[in-house]
Amino acid sequence: MAGMEIEICDIIIIGAGPTGSVLSAILSRSTPTPHTITLERDTHITTDPRGIALDEDGIRLLQGVGLYKETFAEIGEGMGYFNFIPGKNDLSVPPFLRFNLATIEGGTGHVGFLCHKQPVLEGCLRRVVERSDKAEIRGGCELVGIDEVSDGVIATYVRDGREHKLKGKFLVGADGKTGFTRKMYLEAKGVKLESSDKFRYNAVWVALNWHILLPTPETHPDFPLWKLGFTPQGVYDAFFPIHFRFICNPDRPSVCGRFGLGKDRLWRFEFIVKEGEDGMKMAEWKNVWKIVGPYLKHDGKRYGLSDDVCFPQDCIKVLRSRPFSFAARSCNKWSVGRVILCGDAAHVFPPFGGQGIASGFRDASSLAWRLNLACRSASTFNHETLFEGWYSERKQQLEKSLAATIQNGNLCNEPSKIKAFIRNTYFSLIRLWPAWAHQLELGPRAEGMVKYSWIKGMPFLPLLGGGGCIPQVWSAHLAEGAGKGDIFTDDAIFRMGKKGLFQIVALLDSIDDVEDAMKGLTGIDQVSSGEVLAEEATFIIHDTSFSDPAARLAVPKNLTEDRRVVRIVSAEEAKVCNDSEKVPTWPEPLYYNCYRLQEEYAGKRYLIVRPDRFAFAACEGRDELMEAAGMIGKVLRDE
């Protein structure tokens, strides 16, 4: 097809699943905004909810693309607890261990996990993309070829029976573990999806999605619980309880729980396929019911009845029932030349830690600013080194995510009944002591925020406190009550339209420190070659007295009008926040620490923060700040 016209853009993304969509959404809100085109094979968003869990980092990134309200109003609800229960065919049995994911002590200002409905999640992300005139998602596009040239990548795709060519400076394959980008292009260049050295897990599980219909006295007049005063919703709650459950049954490990909004009444159940069993046959209803049915059959004695009580099978609508291979794998390299892998195309997880979509989100956040940097027309940056630093960092964070997955997986998959009994007894005894019980309930979050160990190519200054993911807390402007403006410190730090690559954050004790902190930024634009801008700095005052409206009235006018200056919001103020239009679901501030950001960087006045929420440097004063700012270009150019 010689002479075919080639369309030009900056970045080509292959695949509009959660990873591709969030990458496109982040890029669409960045400055400068690269021209991004996403090619998606399907013509519509799938209606099949695959992933159902998103951790607090993922919630933070949804907030970052302007979807905080939609997250809890449309996409899903907090997951509550991860309950680890013994395998007794009873979902109401007390857990021997549980992780409390309803708290917001993980450092992001959010609950630990969201149980979401993936099609809605993808739809909300696409709405963000659609609002930009520099980003587009094209459906019905089948990728058939990738060709690298000296200054870019040419993607050949088929749409409506016709072949098209699209040239970008970079191509990101977010097309999954069986997608074209890795399987048909990068594997020939030495890219391999390798098993984890730490968690060699490979098994087949059956994943079920059910929509539960409510039985009623009219539809099921003989159902015995009506006589005991149960309502239809009460019956649903009894058989499909809230919170997620890891069923630690040595004979048949399983996982189950609600997902999406409560009103959707969606339920996920996953169980392992044993050796010698056929996954497709085990996904058939008769075999599914043999495994799941006992959990939906209650001993009549629970209700004072002589006969067992079964949830009506005709109230279960099967949305999905199919086998999946679960494994822990990661590619040896995530980029070659100008072609990059992201999300499931680069790594896959078993389901035990809810890290599949969340890891893809973190990939996108960490990659987006590097892509934007590499796309600059006059850029002198070595993009291959830039991307090697990216996936070196991401692999370190994957280890943290994998550790949580290993922990949950080992608990759920213990095959020895004796070891399972000892384990259950051990955790049950520890939970008798409140302090120890709380530490256990933190689960993986007890380790704190992620901090990278520096190796060559990673863009931060380890000797100046860089490399850690910065916490965020609830915030407000000096003249406003909680929830009236920016809700989180991230909202102020990374407000749309800012032009600097990195941002400066000043951590201040009182309003009296603002003027001096502003003076400390004099000349930083020149020192950093414009990569950070003094006029875009954010000044965070760690003083909760401004929760009092009278105290806010006494603030000088020049500071109340300066949108760069924000104050932290205490748990007490958050509790009385009632602006439901702006904050649809303020989480209960369990263990919230409004000083978390300041405590994380005790003794530091200035932070230089990357767009992916990691610190480039943490500086005690102006001298260190100027030194760090002067190093930005050198570090990014790997000089």
Side-chain angles (χ1 to χ4, degrees):
M1 302 191 63
M4 178 185 297
E5 182 178 352
I6 300 178
E7 186 179 7
I8 304 295
C9 67
D10 290 315
I11 299 168
I12 304 169
I13 300 174
I14 308 300
T19 299
S21 293
V22 80
L23 176 59
S24 181
I26 294 170
L27 290 168
S28 74
R29 292 168 59 89
S30 60
T31 303
T33 308
H35 182 197
T36 303
I37 295 178
T38 302
L39 304 178
E40 167 57 41
R41 180 180 57 190
D42 296 330
T43 55
H44 299 90
I45 296 173
T46 178
T47 58
D48 179 21
R50 297 184 295 272
I52 63 170
L54 189 66
D55 70 7
E56 59 190 300
D57 285 347
I59 301 172
R60 185 180 189 178
L61 291 175
L62 288 178
Q63 166 208 332
V65 296
L67 290 175
Y68 178 65
K69 181 176 180 179
E70 290 85 347
T71 296
F72 295 98
E74 300 179 38
I75 297 172
E77 297 178 353
M79 215 166 232
Y81 287 97
F82 275 7
N83 287 324
F84 294 84
I85 64 173
K88 295 183 178 180
N89 291 337
D90 185 354
L91 299 181
S92 63
V93 66
F96 62 84
L97 173 66
R98 66 179 186 175
F99 298 155
N100 187 353
L101 304 170
T103 69
I104 53 174
E105 54 192 317
T108 65
H110 296 300
V111 295
F113 265 92
L114 179 83
C115 52
H116 65 85
K117 189 175 180 180
Q118 184 175 332
V120 179
L121 169 67
E122 293 184 24
C124 288
L125 287 170
R126 290 193 185 195
R127 291 208 302 265
V128 174
V129 175
E130 289 167 359
R131 289 195 285 266
S132 170
D133 60 0
K134 289 288 192 73
E136 176 187 355
I137 296 178
R138 294 179 183 172
C141 299
E142 182 75 25
L143 183 67
V144 295
I146 297 174
D147 296 289
E148 288 188 72
V149 292
S150 61
D151 59 345
V153 185
I154 297 174
T156 303
Y157 67 97
V158 175
R159 190 185 197 192
D160 296 330
R162 295 178 55 197
E163 194 170 275
H164 305 265
K165 290 188 179 294
L166 175 65
K167 181 181 178 182
K169 296 174 182 176
F170 300 95
L171 182 146
V172 180
D175 45 352
K177 61 183 179 181
T178 61
F180 184 99
T181 308
R182 178 174 58 80
K183 296 290 290 183
M184 304 303 294
Y185 184 72
L186 286 182
E187 284 191 357
K189 296 180 177 291
V191 175
K192 299 177 181 178
L193 189 62
E194 301 173 331
S195 296
S196 166
D197 291 333
K198 293 188 177 182
F199 191 33
R200 292 188 176 277
Y201 185 84
N202 199 332
V204 175
W205 286 56
V206 170
L208 312 170
N209 285 340
W210 289 356
H211 175 214
I212 309 302
L213 308 175
L214 294 181
T216 68
E218 291 73 30
T219 60
H220 297 78
D222 297 328
F223 190 66
L225 296 189
W226 306 136
K227 296 179 181 179
L228 301 180
F230 274 75
T231 63
Q233 182 65 38
V235 171
Y236 172 67
D237 292 338
F239 284 88
F240 303 92
I242 61 172
H243 306 307
F244 226 71
R245 282 162 173 76
F246 291 82
I247 304 170
C248 305
N249 185 344
D251 293 327
R252 180 83 69 177
S254 306
V255 182
C256 70
R258 302 181 184 185
F259 67 97
L261 298 178
K263 65 181 182 180
D264 295 331
R265 295 193 304 280
L266 298 172
W267 200 60
R268 165 68 61 88
F269 196 102
E270 296 174 354
F271 62 85
I272 195 169
V273 176
K274 296 181 182 180
E275 187 175 350
E277 294 178 337
D278 182 282
M280 293 301 295
K281 290 184 178 179
M282 294 304 296
E284 296 175 357
W285 176 257
K286 63 178 181 179
N287 291 317
V288 165
W289 190 250
K290 288 179 183 179
I291 295 167
V292 185
Y295 292 99
L296 303 180
K297 181 179 180 180
H298 291 178
D299 189 331
K301 294 178 182 178
R302 179 186 302 187
Y303 307 105
L305 301 174
S306 57
D307 296 325
D308 294 341
V309 182
C310 296
F311 188 82
Q313 290 189 42
D314 61 350
C315 289
I316 298 171
K317 181 180 179 182
V318 179
L319 303 178
R320 152 189 282 213
S321 183
R322 54 182 295 192
F324 280 89
S325 294
F326 291 144
R329 296 180 179 177
S330 175
C331 286
N332 57 332
K333 296 190 294 184
W334 295 12
S335 69
V336 175
R338 293 176 175 269
V339 179
I340 306 154
L341 295 175
C342 203
D344 284 353
H347 50 77
V348 292
F349 274 87
F352 312 116
Q355 291 298 310
I357 292 178
S359 292
F361 272 34
R362 285 190 282 265
D363 292 349
S365 174
S366 188
L367 177 62
W369 69 267
R370 289 169 163 96
L371 281 171
N372 212 339
L373 177 62
C375 280
R376 293 179 178 178
S377 59
S379 174
T380 59
F381 296 102
N382 183 326
H383 62 266
E384 293 198 45
T385 301
L386 194 67
F387 297 138
E388 286 174 8
W390 161 68
Y391 67 74
S392 294
E393 286 185 349
R394 287 294 303 122
K395 283 191 172 187
Q396 285 191 18
Q397 193 166 13
L398 280 179
E399 291 298 318
K400 178 180 174 68
S401 300
L402 187 57
T405 300
I406 291 171
Q407 181 184 41
N408 295 348
N410 288 344
L411 288 168
C412 192
N413 289 293
E414 175 55 61
S416 169
K417 294 183 179 181
I418 295 176
K419 290 183 179 179
F421 174 78
I422 295 173
R423 173 204 62 200
N424 298 356
T425 304
Y426 169 77
F427 283 119
S428 296
L429 289 174
I430 287 181
R431 291 179 61 217
L432 294 176
W433 282 265
W436 291 0
H438 176 65
Q439 191 67 16
L440 277 177
E441 287 189 352
L442 278 174
R445 292 193 290 171
E447 298 179 12
M449 306 294 285
V450 170
K451 187 174 180 63
Y452 295 136
S453 296
W454 186 87
I455 61 174
K456 184 177 174 58
M458 291 185 178
F460 61 86
L461 301 179
L463 297 181
L464 286 179
C469 183
I470 68 165
Q472 73 163 345
V473 296
W474 296 337
S475 69
H477 290 282
L478 290 176
E480 299 170 343
K484 302 297 182 181
D486 294 329
I487 303 174
F488 297 98
T489 47
D490 276 7
D491 298 334
I493 298 169
F494 302 107
R495 187 180 300 116
M496 280 187 68
K498 290 190 173 184
K499 298 178 181 179
L501 176 66
F502 295 163
Q503 294 298 318
I504 302 172
V505 179
L507 306 177
L508 310 177
D509 292 326
S510 75
I511 194 172
D512 297 330
D513 298 326
V514 174
E515 183 177 353
D516 183 60
M518 289 181 174
K519 290 180 179 178
L521 302 181
T522 303
I524 198 168
D525 298 30
Q526 292 73 30
V527 170
S528 69
S529 301
E531 301 295 2
V532 294
L533 302 174
E535 65 179 14
E536 295 180 350
T538 303
F539 303 86
I540 303 175
I541 301 173
H542 291 78
D543 183 349
T544 59
S545 66
F546 294 106
S547 60
D548 183 353
R552 297 201 294 270
L553 290 174
V555 177
K557 185 177 181 181
N558 66 309
L559 293 183
T560 62
E561 294 178 349
D562 193 333
R563 306 301 288 181
R564 299 176 299 168
V565 183
V566 298
R567 62 182 180 85
I568 62 172
V569 170
S570 68
E572 291 72 21
E573 185 179 4
K575 286 180 181 179
V576 299
C577 174
N578 59 4
D579 189 349
S580 59
E581 191 66 31
K582 180 68 176 177
V583 190
T585 51
W586 273 108
E588 181 68 22
L590 297 172
Y591 303 106
Y592 167 65
N593 178 7
C594 61
Y595 296 97
R596 177 67 184 269
L597 178 56
Q598 188 181 50
E599 291 175 358
E600 191 85 11
Y601 293 97
K604 307 296 184 181
R605 166 157 281 202
Y606 297 106
L607 304 178
I608 299 179
V609 185
R610 303 180 339 193
D612 56 359
R613 282 56 173 167
F614 279 81
F616 176 80
C619 309
E620 291 184 2
R622 172 179 166 81
D623 290 345
E624 282 192 356
L625 177 64
M626 291 299 172
E627 177 187 354
M631 290 293 293
I632 293 175
K634 295 179 181 179
V635 170
L636 293 177
R637 293 181 178 87
D638 193 33
E639 296 177 356

